[in-house]
Amino acid sequence: MSRPVTWHTRGRFNSYPLYYFVPSHTRNGRYLVHHCEEGGHVQLWRRDLATGERRQLTQARSEDAGWAIWCEWHLRGVRVHLSAVSPVTDEVFCFEDDAIRAVNVRTLAAREVAPMPEGRLSIGQAAVSPDGRHFAFIHADKAVFEAQMREREALTAMRQFDWSADHQRWRDSIPTTLAVLDTGTGAIRTVVEMPFHFHHVLWVGNDRLPVNHPRGEPGMWVIGLDGTGYAHWRPPHAPGAHGAVVNHQVVTERGVVYEAVEYRADGRTTWFGRFDPQTGQFSEGRLPLGGYVHAGFDPAGRFDFIEHAGPLHQILSVHPGDPLEVGELVRLNSPDHEQQRHHAHPFLSPDRRRLFFTDWDGDGFAQICSIDVSDLTQEPH
């Protein structure tokens, strides 16, 4: 049975957190940082979860600011899904026009940290290192990327672009760079350049960067902060990997949690797993589900849950079994939607008592919600 839902945002405009691989809360859990499309531009806002008070953090006016490869491209404002909060200073780093800016979520103090490298465009999810020293981000040649986006948009409109057959070829044609910004000095340096498109960069410790995806297929690879040590983690041909490819992963205190999908002509099989970055070993179990799955984010890595979009759109807890057992935490109003702004993208609050997610209100706008899961996450004394 679904749990009672608290609605943290309302209005005839979409609101949604930062991309759920990175925290949307400040360290003490008081403020939630989120996107809001009120007024016709996407901006970052903070919400005081104790009082409900809200404050706007950015005044961005970037054109075509949507996360283009997986979401709506023709949004405007702050670059969508590419911001990240420092776990040390509570500054949120974001991309506005041709600059990287930071706003302190608590004090509202704002600064321009650095200009973007000339002729480059931020195109992937970013993250701040655990020690707060580095902001890792992904960029590509602006002219090349926008030309490729226009081509894909035109071919899609003419029904001559097939996502199953053409997307991988399209992605592999866009050279992409992984860079890190020194959050104190603003100095930017390249970690690695690749001849293909990748997105989502995270941190394991302060010196390794897991990234989605390798060339030619979904999956996760890793590289050192110094640009050495490239490795493809848990490739589909590894023993025990079932030929399944990793789609999403989150870094937790107990390893990298992920879902991996085996695609077949008659459907798909999804596996839920945990990868140890120190040993390279992994364990996983089969989910008793068809449809689309997102692994949920518990930074402690002690509570397993997923977003699942099949005949129903749900957030489910995951429990041991063969196959794994699942239990419904909440049933969502939104359908399985292509737009990332409408995905549930579930994650726990810093105190691990509430599970946050995005869902549609009665008017079909994305809003930020939460449910109480303290009975499932709080260890007995």
Side-chain angles (χ1 to χ4, degrees):
M1 179 179 295
S2 292
R3 296 169 181 242
V5 174
T6 298
W7 294 80
H8 298 283
T9 61
R10 291 287 193 181
R12 294 189 61 81
F13 39 81
N14 295 309
S15 295
Y16 40 97
L18 306 185
Y19 201 83
Y20 79 110
F21 287 3
V22 297
S24 288
H25 291 86
T26 51
R27 289 167 294 166
N28 62 6
R30 175 175 177 177
Y31 295 114
L32 179 77
V33 181
H34 65 93
H35 304 85
C36 180
E37 298 178 4
E38 182 179 4
H41 285 81
V42 186
Q43 305 295 350
L44 295 181
W45 290 67
R46 78 171 194 193
R47 180 167 292 271
D48 188 323
L49 294 173
T51 67
E53 178 261 354
R54 59 198 290 264
R55 295 288 296 271
Q56 187 171 329
L57 301 176
T58 60
Q59 299 284 345
R61 289 295 185 269
S62 303
E63 295 295 326
D64 293 327
W67 184 34
I69 186 172
W70 292 119
C71 203
E72 174 59 55
W73 184 24
H74 301 301
L75 300 175
R76 56 189 183 176
V78 74
R79 298 206 177 277
V80 177
H81 291 315
L82 309 188
S83 304
V85 176
S86 168
V88 175
T89 65
D90 285 337
E91 285 186 299
V92 58
F93 289 81
C94 59
F95 300 89
E96 298 183 25
D97 300 315
D98 296 321
I100 303 172
R101 295 184 59 80
V103 184
N104 189 294
V105 181
R106 291 178 287 102
T107 68
L108 305 180
R111 62 188 175 110
E112 180 173 319
V113 187
M116 278 292 291
E118 186 173 357
R120 308 294 290 185
L121 184 69
S122 174
I123 62 168
Q125 271 75 42
V128 181
S129 58
D131 62 8
R133 291 184 58 192
H134 293 108
F135 175 60
F137 66 100
I138 298 165
H139 61 86
D141 183 278
K142 186 175 189 291
V144 169
F145 184 77
E146 290 181 345
Q148 292 289 65
M149 281 300 303
R150 287 192 295 270
E151 178 192 33
R152 190 185 76 173
E153 191 173 60
L155 291 175
T156 300
M158 293 183 285
R159 294 194 290 179
Q160 294 180 35
F161 186 93
D162 180 87
W163 276 84
S164 297
D166 299 325
H167 170 69
Q168 195 63 57
R169 171 195 55 78
W170 182 87
R171 191 175 74 81
D172 287 345
S173 69
I174 303 173
T176 310
T177 298
L178 174 62
V180 291
L181 164 79
D182 186 305
T183 57
T185 68
I188 295 172
R189 66 176 178 85
T190 295
V191 176
V192 67
E193 297 174 333
M194 293 295 196
F196 57 90
H197 178 279
F198 55 84
H199 54 83
H200 292 50
V201 58
L202 297 168
W203 292 87
V204 169
N206 295 303
D207 58 357
R208 286 196 291 173
L209 297 145
V211 183
N212 281 32
H213 292 290
R215 189 170 192 170
E217 62 185 349
M220 56 181 173
W221 52 277
V222 68
I223 197 154
L225 182 60
D226 62 359
T228 65
Y230 172 89
H232 186 173
W233 278 349
R234 194 222 164 270
H237 53 74
H242 324 286
V245 292
V246 173
N247 274 349
H248 309 93
Q249 78 274 354
V250 291
V251 177
T252 79
E253 294 174 6
R254 298 188 177 187
V256 179
V257 174
Y258 62 89
E259 91 279 350
V261 184
E262 176 191 4
Y263 294 97
R264 305 183 310 276
D266 61 344
R268 69 176 81 186
T269 300
T270 303
W271 305 80
F272 186 85
R274 191 180 306 270
F275 177 88
D276 186 332
Q278 307 308 320
T279 67
Q281 301 299 305
F282 62 92
S283 60
E284 53 195 43
R286 179 169 59 88
L287 289 166
L289 304 165
Y292 188 77
V293 170
H294 265 288
F297 183 28
D298 172 11
R302 299 199 300 268
F303 178 46
D304 293 333
F305 57 98
I306 58 172
E307 172 187 359
H308 173 245
L312 298 173
H313 194 186
Q314 306 158 285
I315 299 175
L316 305 169
S317 57
V318 179
H319 309 277
D322 187 16
L324 297 172
E325 297 181 1
V326 297
E328 184 177 86
L329 296 173
V330 64
R331 189 171 300 180
L332 305 173
N333 301 320
S334 60
D336 179 11
H337 205 282
E338 294 180 359
Q339 292 292 316
Q340 294 286 326
R341 294 138 66 221
H342 301 284
H343 282 209
H345 288 163
F347 59 93
L348 290 188
S349 58
D351 64 6
R352 305 183 68 252
R353 302 187 70 87
R354 299 199 70 84
L355 188 151
F356 282 74
F357 57 95
T358 302
D359 196 13
W360 282 6
D361 61 17
D363 295 318
F365 288 96
Q367 306 294 348
I368 302 169
C369 311
S370 70
I371 54 174
D372 187 338
V373 291
S374 57
D375 58 312
L376 302 174
T377 60
Q378 302 302 298
E379 296 179 350
H381 295 289

